[in-house]
Each structure stands twice: as structure tokens, then as C-alpha cells.
Amino acid sequence: MSTEFVRATDEERRVLVTVVGTIPLVELRPGSVTAIVPGKNLTLSFLQLSPGLGAKLHSHPEEQAVVVLEGELDLALDGKLYRVHAGEVAVIPGGVPHSAVTLGAQCRVLDIFSPARQDFAERLTLAKAART
């Protein structure tokens, strides 16, 4: 494969590739911080959630995929409770009320939203401005 393509320049790589550890963290609420990667048609949110942290019942128009990277959580959706473990993914349709609570130790989650969440992009912009 490497002979079929020209290697991207350092500048081209900087535009396309993001190191998650360099993104300023945004506090969504006490016990919940995230590194946000906005895209044109989707938003990634790398969440770090404190043990026992609960999210109130809410909904948003964006479809959401919850990828549990570490730990576990209980996800309430459509009147049912789903236990989601590390390595598992739950997909929440847009507009459907849902909530969650982390269990045991810290939980790390990758939330993927589509279409992109403009409110998250705005929070990231504010966090970057506060960093300078």
C-alpha cells in the first residue's frame, strides 16, 4: 500500500489527525469531562465519568452511539435498563429520552453523535480560548 500513495506532509497530517490527549477538556457537569472532536457530519466525545455519576433523563435530535471503553454503565432507554460493559456499543435513536449511571470505578466512553452537535463545537471553542 505504501507504494501506491504519497505520504502526507506534516501540515496535511496536522489538519486531519488529532491527538486526543492534546484536546482541552470540557466539563459537561461535575464528574464528567470530555475531549471533543468535531466533524462536519458527526461529533466525537471522549468522556471520563466519575463512579456513580448519573445523567438525568434527556433527549437530543442527534443519533448517539455509546462505546464503553472502560468500566460499565446502566443505560435507561424506552422504559428499560441496559447494562453496557467495556467493549460494547449501544445506539440511541435521535429524539428518544435516555439516561445513564456509571457503575463501580471510573468509566470511559466514546460518544458518537450524528449529525454533528453544534453545542459541543461551541464548548470546544470556548475551552480552546480559555486555554490561551
Side-chain angles (χ1 to χ4, degrees):
M1 180 169 143
S2 61
T3 60
E4 300 173 34
F5 299 95
V6 175
R7 177 75 51 198
T9 66
D10 287 344
E11 181 57 31
E12 290 168 327
R13 186 177 190 287
R14 273 191 292 278
V15 170
L16 185 69
V17 178
T18 301
V19 178
V20 175
T22 65
I23 301 168
L25 292 177
V26 173
E27 185 177 57
L28 297 177
R29 65 183 184 282
S32 173
V33 295
T34 187
I36 298 168
V37 180
K40 180 179 178 185
N41 297 305
L42 60 80
T43 298
L44 304 177
S45 174
F46 291 87
L47 286 159
Q48 298 172 24
L49 305 167
S50 298
L53 182 69
K56 64 180 181 172
L57 190 66
H58 67 285
S59 68
H60 39 75
E62 301 84 6
E63 182 175 35
Q64 177 180 357
V66 179
V67 183
V68 179
L69 303 172
E70 178 183 312
E72 61 185 352
L73 54 82
D74 274 344
L75 174 66
L77 178 70
D78 279 341
K80 297 198 170 129
L81 199 58
Y82 299 87
R83 174 89 23 108
V84 187
H85 304 273
E88 296 180 331
V89 180
V91 178
I92 304 167
V96 175
H98 57 282
S99 66
V101 63
T102 59
L103 306 170
Q106 174 178 306
C107 191
R108 288 188 321 110
V109 172
L110 168 59
D111 280 339
I112 305 166
F113 298 96
S114 179
R117 288 192 61 160
Q118 294 307 312
D119 59 329
F120 275 38
E122 291 165 7
R123 287 178 182 219
L124 177 60
T125 299
L126 291 173
K128 286 180 176 178
R131 193 184 223 188
T132 57

